[in-house]
Coordinates of all heavy atoms in Angstrom, one line a residue:
M856 N 23.2 -18.4 42.3 CA 22.4 -17.2 42.2 C 21.4 -17.4 41.0 O 21.8 -17.7 39.9 CB 23.2 -16.0 41.9 CG 22.5 -14.8 41.5 SD 23.5 -13.3 41.1 CE 23.9 -12.7 42.7
P857 N 20.1 -17.3 41.2 CA 19.1 -17.4 40.2 C 19.1 -16.3 39.2 O 19.4 -15.1 39.5 CB 17.8 -17.5 40.9 CG 18.0 -16.8 42.2 CD 19.5 -17.0 42.5
A858 N 18.9 -16.6 37.9 CA 18.9 -15.6 36.9 C 17.6 -14.7 37.0 O 16.5 -15.3 37.3 CB 18.9 -16.3 35.5
D859 N 17.7 -13.5 36.6 CA 16.5 -12.6 36.6 C 16.2 -12.3 35.1 O 16.8 -11.6 34.4 CB 16.9 -11.3 37.3 CG 15.7 -10.3 37.2 OD1 14.6 -10.7 36.9 OD2 16.0 -9.1 37.6
F860 N 15.0 -12.9 34.7 CA 14.5 -12.7 33.3 C 13.5 -11.7 33.2 O 12.8 -11.5 32.2 CB 14.1 -14.0 32.8 CG 15.1 -15.1 32.7 CD1 15.1 -16.2 33.6 CD2 16.1 -15.0 31.8 CE1 16.1 -17.2 33.5 CE2 17.1 -16.0 31.7 CZ 17.1 -17.1 32.6
S861 N 13.3 -10.9 34.2 CA 12.1 -9.9 34.2 C 12.3 -8.8 33.2 O 11.3 -8.1 32.9 CB 12.0 -9.3 35.6 OG 13.1 -8.6 36.0
S862 N 13.5 -8.6 32.7 CA 13.7 -7.5 31.7 C 13.4 -8.0 30.2 O 13.4 -7.2 29.3 CB 15.1 -7.0 31.7 OG 16.1 -8.0 31.4
L863 N 13.1 -9.3 30.1 CA 12.8 -9.8 28.7 C 11.3 -9.6 28.4 O 10.4 -9.8 29.3 CB 13.1 -11.3 28.7 CG 14.5 -11.7 29.0 CD1 14.6 -13.2 29.0 CD2 15.5 -11.0 28.0
Y864 N 11.0 -9.2 27.2 CA 9.6 -9.2 26.8 C 9.5 -9.3 25.3 O 10.5 -9.2 24.5 CB 9.0 -7.8 27.2 CG 9.5 -6.6 26.6 CD1 8.9 -6.0 25.5 CD2 10.7 -6.0 27.1 CE1 9.5 -4.9 24.9 CE2 11.2 -4.9 26.5 CZ 10.6 -4.3 25.4 OH 11.1 -3.2 24.8
N865 N 8.3 -9.6 24.8 CA 8.0 -9.8 23.4 C 7.9 -8.4 22.8 O 6.9 -7.7 23.1 CB 6.7 -10.6 23.2 CG 6.4 -10.8 21.8 OD1 7.0 -10.3 20.9 ND2 5.3 -11.6 21.6
H866 N 8.7 -8.1 21.9 CA 8.7 -6.8 21.2 C 7.3 -6.4 20.6 O 6.9 -5.3 20.7 CB 9.7 -6.8 20.1 CG 9.6 -5.6 19.2 ND1 8.8 -5.6 18.0 CD2 10.0 -4.3 19.3 CE1 8.9 -4.5 17.4 NE2 9.6 -3.6 18.1
H867 N 6.6 -7.4 20.1 CA 5.4 -7.2 19.4 C 4.2 -6.8 20.4 O 3.3 -6.1 20.0 CB 4.9 -8.4 18.7 CG 5.8 -8.8 17.6 ND1 6.5 -7.8 16.7 CD2 6.3 -10.0 17.1 CE1 7.2 -8.5 15.8 NE2 7.1 -9.8 16.1
E868 N 4.4 -7.1 21.7 CA 3.3 -6.7 22.6 C 2.9 -5.3 22.6 O 1.8 -4.9 22.4 CB 3.7 -7.2 24.1 CG 3.7 -8.7 24.2 CD 4.1 -9.1 25.6 OE1 4.5 -8.2 26.4 OE2 4.2 -10.3 25.9
R869 N 3.9 -4.4 22.8 CA 3.6 -3.0 22.9 C 3.1 -2.4 21.6 O 2.1 -1.6 21.5 CB 4.9 -2.2 23.2 CG 5.3 -2.5 24.6 CD 6.6 -1.7 24.9 NE 7.1 -2.1 26.2 CZ 8.3 -1.7 26.7 NH1 9.1 -1.0 26.0 NH2 8.7 -2.1 27.9
E870 N 3.6 -2.9 20.4 CA 3.1 -2.4 19.2 C 1.7 -3.0 18.8 O 0.9 -2.2 18.3 CB 4.1 -2.8 18.1 CG 5.4 -2.0 18.3 CD 6.3 -2.0 17.0 OE1 5.7 -2.1 15.9 OE2 7.4 -1.6 17.1
V871 N 1.4 -4.2 19.2 CA 0.1 -4.8 19.0 C -0.9 -4.0 19.9 O -2.0 -3.7 19.4 CB 0.1 -6.3 19.2 CG1 -1.3 -6.8 19.3 CG2 0.8 -7.0 18.1
F872 N -0.6 -3.8 21.1 CA -1.5 -3.1 22.0 C -1.8 -1.7 21.4 O -3.0 -1.3 21.4 CB -0.9 -3.0 23.4 CG -0.7 -4.3 24.1 CD1 0.2 -4.4 25.2 CD2 -1.3 -5.5 23.7 CE1 0.5 -5.5 25.8 CE2 -1.0 -6.7 24.4 CZ -0.1 -6.7 25.4
A873 N -0.8 -1.0 20.9 CA -1.1 0.3 20.4 C -1.9 0.2 19.1 O -2.8 1.0 18.9 CB 0.3 1.0 20.1
A874 N -1.6 -0.8 18.3 CA -2.4 -0.9 17.0 C -3.8 -1.3 17.4 O -4.8 -0.9 16.7 CB -1.7 -2.0 16.2
V875 N -4.1 -2.1 18.4 CA -5.4 -2.5 18.8 C -6.2 -1.2 19.2 O -7.3 -1.0 18.8 CB -5.4 -3.6 19.9 CG1 -6.8 -3.7 20.5 CG2 -4.9 -4.9 19.3
M876 N -5.5 -0.4 20.0 CA -6.2 0.8 20.5 C -6.5 1.8 19.3 O -7.5 2.4 19.3 CB -5.4 1.4 21.6 CG -5.3 0.6 22.9 SD -6.9 0.0 23.5 CE -7.7 1.5 23.8
D877 N -5.5 1.9 18.4 CA -5.8 2.7 17.2 C -6.9 2.2 16.4 O -7.7 3.0 15.9 CB -4.5 2.8 16.3 CG -3.4 3.6 17.0 OD1 -3.6 4.3 17.9 OD2 -2.2 3.4 16.5
A878 N -7.1 0.9 16.2 CA -8.1 0.3 15.4 C -9.4 0.2 16.1 O -10.5 0.1 15.5 CB -7.7 -1.0 14.8
A879 N -9.4 0.3 17.4 CA -10.6 0.1 18.2 C -11.7 1.1 17.8 O -12.9 0.8 17.9 CB -10.3 0.2 19.7
E880 N -11.3 2.3 17.5 CA -12.3 3.4 17.1 C -13.2 2.9 16.0 O -14.4 3.2 15.9 CB -11.5 4.6 16.7 CG -12.4 5.8 16.4 CD -11.5 7.0 16.1 OE1 -10.6 7.4 16.9 OE2 -11.7 7.6 15.0
A881 N -12.7 2.1 15.1 CA -13.5 1.6 13.9 C -14.3 0.4 14.3 O -15.1 -0.1 13.5 CB -12.5 1.3 12.8
H882 N -14.2 -0.1 15.5 CA -14.9 -1.3 16.0 C -15.6 -1.0 17.3 O -15.2 -1.5 18.4 CB -14.0 -2.5 16.1 CG -13.3 -2.8 14.8 ND1 -13.9 -3.6 13.9 CD2 -12.1 -2.4 14.4 CE1 -13.0 -3.7 12.8 NE2 -11.9 -3.0 13.1
P883 N -16.5 -0.1 17.4 CA -17.1 0.4 18.7 C -17.8 -0.8 19.5 O -17.7 -0.7 20.7 CB -18.1 1.4 18.3 CG -18.4 1.2 16.8 CD -17.2 0.6 16.3
E884 N -18.3 -1.8 18.8 CA -18.9 -2.9 19.5 C -17.9 -3.7 20.2 O -18.2 -4.3 21.3 CB -19.7 -3.8 18.6 CG -18.9 -4.6 17.5 CD -18.3 -3.7 16.4 OE1 -18.7 -2.5 16.2 OE2 -17.5 -4.3 15.6
I885 N -16.7 -3.7 19.8 CA -15.5 -4.4 20.5 C -14.9 -3.5 21.5 O -14.5 -3.9 22.6 CB -14.5 -5.0 19.5 CG1 -15.2 -6.1 18.7 CG2 -13.3 -5.5 20.2 CD1 -14.3 -6.7 17.5
A886 N -14.7 -2.2 21.1 CA -14.0 -1.2 21.9 C -14.7 -1.0 23.2 O -14.2 -0.6 24.2 CB -13.9 0.1 21.1
A887 N -16.0 -1.3 23.2 CA -16.8 -1.1 24.5 C -16.5 -2.1 25.5 O -16.9 -2.0 26.7 CB -18.3 -1.1 24.1
S888 N -15.8 -3.1 25.2 CA -15.5 -4.2 26.1 C -14.0 -4.5 26.3 O -13.3 -4.8 25.3 CB -16.1 -5.5 25.6 OG -15.6 -6.6 26.4
N889 N -13.5 -4.2 27.5 CA -12.0 -4.5 27.7 C -11.7 -6.0 27.4 O -10.6 -6.3 26.9 CB -11.7 -4.2 29.2 CG -10.2 -4.3 29.4 OD1 -9.4 -3.6 28.8 ND2 -9.9 -5.2 30.3
D890 N -12.6 -6.9 27.8 CA -12.3 -8.3 27.6 C -12.2 -8.6 26.1 O -11.3 -9.4 25.7 CB -13.5 -9.2 28.1 CG -13.5 -9.3 29.6 OD1 -12.4 -9.0 30.2 OD2 -14.5 -9.6 30.2
L891 N -13.0 -8.0 25.2 CA -12.9 -8.2 23.8 C -11.7 -7.6 23.2 O -11.0 -8.2 22.3 CB -14.2 -7.7 23.1 CG -15.5 -8.5 23.3 CD1 -16.6 -7.8 22.6 CD2 -15.3 -9.9 23.0
L892 N -11.3 -6.4 23.7 CA -10.0 -5.8 23.2 C -8.8 -6.7 23.6 O -7.9 -6.9 22.8 CB -9.8 -4.4 23.8 CG -10.7 -3.4 23.2 CD1 -10.6 -2.0 24.0 CD2 -10.4 -3.2 21.8
C893 N -8.9 -7.3 24.8 CA -7.8 -8.3 25.2 C -7.8 -9.5 24.3 O -6.8 -10.0 23.9 CB -8.0 -8.6 26.7 SG -7.5 -7.3 27.8
D894 N -9.0 -10.0 24.0 CA -9.1 -11.1 23.0 C -8.5 -10.8 21.7 O -7.8 -11.6 21.1 CB -10.6 -11.5 22.8 CG -11.2 -12.2 24.0 OD1 -10.4 -12.6 25.0 OD2 -12.4 -12.4 24.1
V895 N -8.8 -9.6 21.2 CA -8.2 -9.1 19.9 C -6.7 -9.1 20.0 O -6.0 -9.6 19.1 CB -8.7 -7.7 19.5 CG1 -7.9 -7.2 18.4 CG2 -10.2 -7.8 19.2
A896 N -6.1 -8.6 21.1 CA -4.7 -8.5 21.3 C -4.1 -9.9 21.3 O -3.1 -10.2 20.7 CB -4.3 -7.7 22.5
C897 N -4.8 -10.8 22.0 CA -4.3 -12.2 22.1 C -4.3 -12.9 20.7 O -3.3 -13.5 20.3 CB -5.1 -13.0 23.0 SG -4.8 -12.7 24.8
V898 N -5.4 -12.8 20.0 CA -5.4 -13.3 18.6 C -4.3 -12.8 17.8 O -3.6 -13.5 17.0 CB -6.8 -13.2 18.0 CG1 -6.9 -13.6 16.6 CG2 -7.9 -13.9 18.8
A899 N -4.2 -11.5 17.8 CA -3.2 -10.8 17.0 C -1.8 -11.3 17.3 O -0.9 -11.7 16.5 CB -3.2 -9.3 17.1
L900 N -1.4 -11.3 18.6 CA -0.1 -11.8 19.0 C 0.1 -13.2 18.7 O 1.3 -13.6 18.4 CB 0.0 -11.5 20.5 CG 0.3 -10.1 21.0 CD1 0.1 -9.9 22.5 CD2 1.7 -9.6 20.6
N901 N -0.9 -14.1 18.7 CA -0.7 -15.5 18.4 C -0.4 -15.7 16.9 O 0.0 -16.8 16.5 CB -1.9 -16.3 18.9 CG -1.8 -16.5 20.4 OD1 -0.8 -16.7 21.0 ND2 -3.0 -16.6 21.0
R902 N -0.7 -14.7 16.1 CA -0.5 -14.8 14.7 C 0.9 -14.4 14.3 O 1.4 -14.5 13.2 CB -1.5 -14.0 13.9 CG -2.9 -14.6 14.0 CD -3.9 -13.9 13.2 NE -3.6 -14.0 11.7 CZ -3.9 -15.0 10.9 NH1 -4.4 -16.1 11.4 NH2 -3.6 -15.0 9.7
L903 N 1.6 -13.8 15.2 CA 3.0 -13.2 15.0 C 4.0 -14.1 15.6 O 3.8 -14.6 16.7 CB 3.1 -11.8 15.6 CG 2.1 -10.8 14.9 CD1 2.1 -9.5 15.8 CD2 2.5 -10.5 13.5
T904 N 5.2 -14.2 15.0 CA 6.3 -14.9 15.6 C 6.8 -14.0 16.7 O 7.1 -12.8 16.5 CB 7.4 -15.1 14.5 OG1 6.9 -15.9 13.5 CG2 8.6 -15.9 15.1
P905 N 7.0 -14.6 17.9 CA 7.5 -13.7 19.0 C 8.9 -13.2 18.8 O 9.7 -14.0 18.2 CB 7.4 -14.6 20.2 CG 6.9 -15.9 19.8 CD 6.6 -15.9 18.3
R906 N 9.2 -12.0 19.2 CA 10.6 -11.5 19.1 C 10.9 -11.0 20.4 O 10.6 -9.9 20.8 CB 10.6 -10.4 18.1 CG 10.2 -10.7 16.6 CD 11.3 -11.6 15.9 NE 12.5 -10.9 15.7 CZ 12.9 -10.4 14.6 NH1 12.2 -10.3 13.6 NH2 14.1 -9.8 14.6
Y907 N 11.5 -11.8 21.2 CA 11.9 -11.5 22.6 C 13.1 -10.6 22.7 O 14.1 -10.9 22.0 CB 12.1 -12.7 23.5 CG 10.7 -13.2 23.8 CD1 10.1 -14.2 23.0 CD2 9.9 -12.7 24.9 CE1 8.9 -14.7 23.3 CE2 8.7 -13.2 25.1 CZ 8.1 -14.2 24.4 OH 6.9 -14.7 24.6
I908 N 13.1 -9.6 23.4 CA 14.2 -8.6 23.5 C 14.3 -8.1 25.0 O 13.4 -8.4 25.8 CB 14.0 -7.4 22.6 CG1 12.7 -6.6 23.0 CG2 13.9 -7.8 21.1 CD1 12.5 -5.3 22.3
R909 N 15.4 -7.4 25.2 CA 15.6 -6.8 26.5 C 15.5 -5.3 26.4 O 15.0 -4.7 27.3 CB 17.0 -7.2 27.1 CG 17.1 -8.6 27.5 CD 18.4 -8.9 28.2 NE 18.5 -8.2 29.4 CZ 19.7 -7.8 29.9 NH1 20.8 -8.2 29.3 NH2 19.8 -7.1 31.0
H910 N 16.0 -4.8 25.3 CA 16.0 -3.3 25.1 C 15.5 -3.0 23.7 O 16.1 -3.5 22.7 CB 17.4 -2.7 25.3 CG 18.0 -3.1 26.6 ND1 17.6 -2.6 27.8 CD2 19.0 -4.0 27.0 CE1 18.3 -3.1 28.8 NE2 19.2 -4.0 28.3
E911 N 14.5 -2.1 23.7 CA 14.0 -1.7 22.3 C 15.0 -1.2 21.4 O 15.1 -1.5 20.2 CB 12.9 -0.6 22.6 CG 12.2 -0.2 21.3 CD 11.3 -1.3 20.7 OE1 10.8 -2.1 21.4 OE2 11.2 -1.3 19.5
V912 N 15.9 -0.4 22.0 CA 17.0 0.3 21.1 C 17.9 -0.8 20.4 O 18.3 -0.7 19.3 CB 17.8 1.3 21.9 CG1 18.7 0.6 23.0 CG2 18.7 2.1 21.0
D913 N 18.1 -1.9 21.1 CA 18.9 -3.0 20.6 C 18.2 -3.6 19.4 O 18.8 -3.9 18.4 CB 19.3 -4.0 21.6 CG 20.2 -3.5 22.7 OD1 20.9 -2.5 22.5 OD2 20.2 -4.1 23.8
F914 N 16.9 -3.9 19.6 CA 16.2 -4.5 18.5 C 16.1 -3.6 17.3 O 16.4 -4.1 16.2 CB 14.8 -4.8 19.1 CG 13.9 -5.5 18.1 CD1 14.0 -6.8 17.7 CD2 12.8 -4.8 17.5 CE1 13.2 -7.4 16.8 CE2 12.0 -5.4 16.6 CZ 12.2 -6.7 16.3
S915 N 15.7 -2.4 17.5 CA 15.6 -1.4 16.4 C 16.9 -1.2 15.6 O 16.9 -1.0 14.4 CB 15.0 -0.1 16.9 OG 13.8 -0.3 17.4
F916 N 18.0 -1.2 16.4 CA 19.3 -0.9 15.8 C 19.7 -2.0 14.7 O 20.3 -1.6 13.7 CB 20.4 -0.9 16.9 CG 21.7 -0.6 16.3 CD1 22.1 0.6 15.9 CD2 22.6 -1.7 16.2 CE1 23.4 0.9 15.4 CE2 23.9 -1.4 15.8 CZ 24.3 -0.2 15.4
Y917 N 19.3 -3.2 15.0 CA 19.7 -4.3 14.1 C 18.7 -4.6 12.9 O 19.0 -5.4 12.1 CB 19.9 -5.6 14.9 CG 21.1 -5.5 15.8 CD1 21.0 -5.3 17.1 CD2 22.4 -5.5 15.2 CE1 22.1 -5.2 17.9 CE2 23.6 -5.4 16.0 CZ 23.4 -5.2 17.3 OH 24.5 -5.1 18.1
L918 N 17.6 -3.8 12.9 CA 16.7 -4.0 11.8 C 17.0 -3.2 10.6 O 17.3 -2.0 10.7 CB 15.2 -3.7 12.3 CG 14.6 -4.6 13.3 CD1 13.2 -4.0 13.6 CD2 14.4 -6.0 12.8
T919 N 16.8 -3.8 9.4 CA 16.9 -3.0 8.2 C 15.5 -2.3 8.0 O 14.5 -2.7 8.7 CB 17.2 -3.8 7.0 OG1 16.1 -4.7 6.8 CG2 18.5 -4.6 7.2
E920 N 15.5 -1.3 7.2 CA 14.2 -0.6 6.9 C 13.2 -1.6 6.3 O 12.0 -1.5 6.7 CB 14.4 0.5 5.9 CG 13.3 1.4 5.7 CD 12.8 2.1 7.0 OE1 13.7 2.5 7.9 OE2 11.6 2.3 7.2
H921 N 13.7 -2.5 5.5 CA 12.8 -3.5 4.9 C 12.2 -4.4 6.0 O 11.0 -4.7 6.0 CB 13.5 -4.4 3.9 CG 12.7 -5.5 3.3 ND1 11.7 -5.2 2.3 CD2 12.8 -6.8 3.5 CE1 11.2 -6.4 2.0 NE2 11.8 -7.4 2.7
E922 N 13.0 -4.9 6.9 CA 12.5 -5.7 8.0 C 11.5 -5.0 8.9 O 10.5 -5.5 9.3 CB 13.7 -6.2 8.9 CG 14.6 -7.2 8.2 CD 15.9 -7.5 9.0 OE1 16.5 -6.5 9.6 OE2 16.3 -8.6 9.0
R923 N 11.8 -3.7 9.2 CA 10.9 -2.9 10.0 C 9.5 -2.8 9.3 O 8.5 -2.9 9.9 CB 11.5 -1.5 10.2 CG 10.7 -0.6 11.1 CD 10.8 -1.1 12.5 NE 9.7 -0.5 13.2 CZ 9.1 -1.1 14.2 NH1 9.4 -2.3 14.6 NH2 8.1 -0.6 14.8
H924 N 9.6 -2.5 8.0 CA 8.3 -2.5 7.2 C 7.6 -3.8 7.2 O 6.4 -3.8 7.4 CB 8.6 -2.1 5.7 CG 7.4 -2.0 4.9 ND1 6.5 -1.0 5.0 CD2 7.0 -2.8 3.9 CE1 5.5 -1.2 4.1 NE2 5.8 -2.3 3.4
E925 N 8.3 -4.9 7.1 CA 7.6 -6.2 7.1 C 7.0 -6.4 8.5 O 5.9 -7.0 8.6 CB 8.7 -7.3 6.9 CG 9.0 -7.4 5.4 CD 10.1 -8.6 5.2 OE1 10.7 -9.0 6.2 OE2 10.2 -9.0 4.1
I926 N 7.6 -6.1 9.6 CA 7.1 -6.2 10.9 C 5.8 -5.4 11.1 O 4.8 -5.8 11.6 CB 8.1 -5.9 12.0 CG1 9.2 -7.0 12.0 CG2 7.5 -5.7 13.4 CD1 10.4 -6.7 12.9
D927 N 5.9 -4.1 10.6 CA 4.8 -3.2 10.7 C 3.6 -3.7 9.9 O 2.4 -3.7 10.4 CB 5.1 -1.8 10.2 CG 6.0 -1.1 11.2 OD1 6.2 -1.5 12.3 OD2 6.6 -0.1 10.7
T928 N 3.8 -4.3 8.7 CA 2.7 -4.8 7.9 C 2.2 -6.1 8.6 O 1.0 -6.3 8.6 CB 3.3 -5.2 6.5 OG1 3.8 -4.0 5.9 CG2 2.3 -5.8 5.6
A929 N 3.0 -6.9 9.1 CA 2.6 -8.2 9.8 C 1.7 -7.8 11.0 O 0.7 -8.5 11.2 CB 3.7 -9.0 10.2
I930 N 2.1 -6.8 11.7 CA 1.3 -6.4 12.9 C -0.1 -5.9 12.4 O -1.1 -6.2 13.0 CB 2.1 -5.4 13.8 CG1 3.2 -6.1 14.5 CG2 1.1 -4.7 14.8 CD1 4.2 -5.2 15.2
A931 N -0.1 -5.0 11.5 CA -1.3 -4.4 10.9 C -2.3 -5.5 10.4 O -3.5 -5.6 10.7 CB -1.1 -3.4 9.8
D932 N -1.7 -6.5 9.7 CA -2.5 -7.6 9.2 C -3.0 -8.5 10.3 O -4.2 -8.9 10.3 CB -1.7 -8.5 8.2 CG -1.3 -7.8 6.9 OD1 -1.9 -6.7 6.6 OD2 -0.5 -8.3 6.2
A933 N -2.2 -8.8 11.3 CA -2.6 -9.6 12.5 C -3.7 -8.9 13.3 O -4.7 -9.6 13.7 CB -1.4 -9.9 13.4
V934 N -3.6 -7.6 13.5 CA -4.6 -6.9 14.2 C -5.9 -6.8 13.4 O -7.0 -7.0 14.0 CB -4.1 -5.5 14.6 CG1 -5.3 -4.6 15.1 CG2 -3.0 -5.6 15.7
S935 N -5.9 -6.6 12.1 CA -7.1 -6.6 11.3 C -7.8 -8.0 11.4 O -9.0 -8.0 11.5 CB -6.7 -6.2 9.8 OG -7.8 -6.3 9.0
Y936 N -7.0 -9.0 11.2 CA -7.5 -10.4 11.2 C -8.2 -10.6 12.6 O -9.3 -11.1 12.7 CB -6.4 -11.4 11.0 CG -6.9 -12.8 11.3 CD1 -7.5 -13.6 10.3 CD2 -6.8 -13.4 12.5 CE1 -7.9 -14.9 10.5 CE2 -7.3 -14.7 12.8 CZ -7.8 -15.4 11.7 OH -8.3 -16.7 12.0
A937 N -7.5 -10.2 13.7 CA -8.0 -10.4 15.0 C -9.4 -9.7 15.3 O -10.2 -10.3 15.9 CB -7.0 -10.0 16.1
F938 N -9.5 -8.4 14.8 CA -10.8 -7.8 15.0 C -11.9 -8.5 14.3 O -13.0 -8.7 14.8 CB -10.7 -6.3 14.5 CG -10.3 -5.4 15.6 CD1 -9.0 -4.8 15.7 CD2 -11.2 -5.0 16.6 CE1 -8.6 -3.9 16.7 CE2 -10.9 -4.1 17.6 CZ -9.6 -3.5 17.6
N939 N -11.6 -8.9 13.0 CA -12.6 -9.7 12.3 C -13.0 -11.0 12.9 O -14.1 -11.4 13.0 CB -12.1 -9.9 10.8 CG -12.1 -8.6 10.0 OD1 -12.8 -7.7 10.3 ND2 -11.2 -8.5 9.1
F940 N -11.9 -11.7 13.5 CA -12.2 -13.0 14.1 C -13.0 -12.8 15.4 O -14.0 -13.5 15.6 CB -10.8 -13.6 14.5 CG -10.9 -14.9 15.2 CD1 -11.0 -16.1 14.4 CD2 -10.9 -15.0 16.5 CE1 -11.1 -17.3 15.1 CE2 -10.9 -16.2 17.2 CZ -11.0 -17.4 16.4
V941 N -12.6 -11.8 16.2 CA -13.4 -11.6 17.5 C -14.8 -11.1 17.2 O -15.8 -11.6 17.8 CB -12.6 -10.7 18.4 CG1 -13.5 -10.2 19.6 CG2 -11.3 -11.3 18.9
Q942 N -14.9 -10.3 16.2 CA -16.3 -9.8 15.8 C -17.2 -10.9 15.4 O -18.3 -11.1 15.8 CB -16.2 -8.7 14.7 CG -17.5 -8.1 14.4 CD -17.3 -6.9 13.5 OE1 -16.2 -6.7 12.9 NE2 -18.3 -6.0 13.4
A943 N -16.6 -11.9 14.5 CA -17.4 -13.0 14.0 C -17.7 -13.9 15.2 O -18.9 -14.4 15.3 CB -16.6 -13.7 13.0
R944 N -16.8 -14.2 16.1 CA -17.1 -15.1 17.2 C -18.1 -14.5 18.2 O -19.0 -15.2 18.7 CB -15.8 -15.4 18.0 CG -14.8 -16.2 17.2 CD -15.3 -17.6 16.9 NE -14.3 -18.2 16.2 CZ -14.5 -19.3 15.5 NH1 -15.6 -19.9 15.5 NH2 -13.5 -19.9 14.8
T945 N -18.1 -13.2 18.3 CA -19.0 -12.5 19.2 C -20.4 -12.6 18.6 O -21.4 -12.8 19.3 CB -18.6 -11.0 19.4 OG1 -17.3 -11.0 20.0 CG2 -19.6 -10.3 20.3
A946 N -20.5 -12.5 17.3 CA -21.8 -12.5 16.6 C -22.4 -13.9 16.7 O -23.6 -14.1 16.9 CB -21.6 -12.1 15.1
L947 N -21.5 -14.9 16.6 CA -22.0 -16.3 16.7 C -22.5 -16.6 18.1 O -23.5 -17.3 18.3 CB -20.8 -17.3 16.4 CG -20.5 -17.5 14.9 CD1 -19.3 -18.4 14.8 CD2 -21.7 -18.1 14.2
R948 N -21.8 -16.1 19.1 CA -22.3 -16.3 20.5 C -23.6 -15.6 20.8 O -24.4 -16.1 21.5 CB -21.2 -15.8 21.5 CG -20.1 -16.8 21.7 CD -19.2 -16.3 22.9 NE -17.9 -16.3 22.4 CZ -16.9 -15.4 22.6 NH1 -17.2 -14.3 23.3 NH2 -15.7 -15.5 22.1
A949 N -23.8 -14.5 20.1 CA -25.0 -13.7 20.3 C -26.2 -14.5 19.7 O -27.3 -14.3 20.3 CB -24.9 -12.3 19.7
R950 N -26.0 -15.2 18.7 CA -27.1 -16.0 18.0 C -27.5 -17.2 18.9 O -28.6 -17.7 18.7 CB -26.7 -16.5 16.7 CG -26.5 -15.3 15.7 CD -26.2 -15.9 14.3 NE -25.7 -14.8 13.5 CZ -24.9 -14.9 12.5 NH1 -24.4 -16.1 12.3 NH2 -24.5 -13.9 11.8
A951 N -26.5 -17.7 19.7 CA -26.8 -18.9 20.4 C -27.8 -18.7 21.6 O -28.1 -17.8 22.1 CB -25.5 -19.5 21.0

């Protein structure tokens, strides 16, 4: 019988997607493009160590408050970096 891995996902995906949408308001030139928002999410996710889980409650239960704060800070930093990166790359392409 083959294993079913469909319940596994990277914990950071949902939080990064939410952080990208929250920050998009401050970056209207990027927010206007779904492709650029997806680029931001990809850049941010690639800067984070993946944390694969099956159930959110299991992941949260085992985190200390310090670890949770570190993850939140890492996600915020990654999303900020990603917006700046995508904005700079978009500006370079526009000049070409």
Side-chain angles (χ1 to χ4, degrees):
M856 170 186 277
D859 177 11
F860 297 109
S861 63
S862 65
L863 302 176
Y864 66 96
N865 180 355
H866 168 266
H867 298 319
E868 288 175 0
R869 293 178 186 173
E870 294 202 17
V871 165
F872 298 159
V875 167
M876 294 311 297
D877 289 345
E880 186 177 304
H882 303 275
E884 66 286 351
I885 293 174
S888 169
N889 185 64
D890 286 342
L891 292 178
L892 286 174
C893 288
D894 288 347
V895 169
C897 286
V898 171
L900 284 166
N901 283 327
R902 293 185 61 81
L903 298 166
T904 302
R906 299 288 297 258
Y907 285 93
I908 61 172
R909 289 186 62 205
H910 306 286
E911 183 68 31
V912 68
D913 293 341
F914 180 72
S915 298
F916 179 77
Y917 291 107
L918 289 178
T919 66
E920 189 61 35
H921 178 73
E922 289 170 322
R923 182 75 197 144
H924 177 71
E925 284 182 341
I926 289 171
D927 290 345
T928 300
I930 289 171
D932 291 348
V934 168
S935 176
Y936 172 89
F938 269 103
N939 291 329
F940 181 86
V941 170
Q942 188 170 14
R944 295 294 179 197
T945 302
L947 283 175
R948 278 189 231 137
R950 290 185 197 147

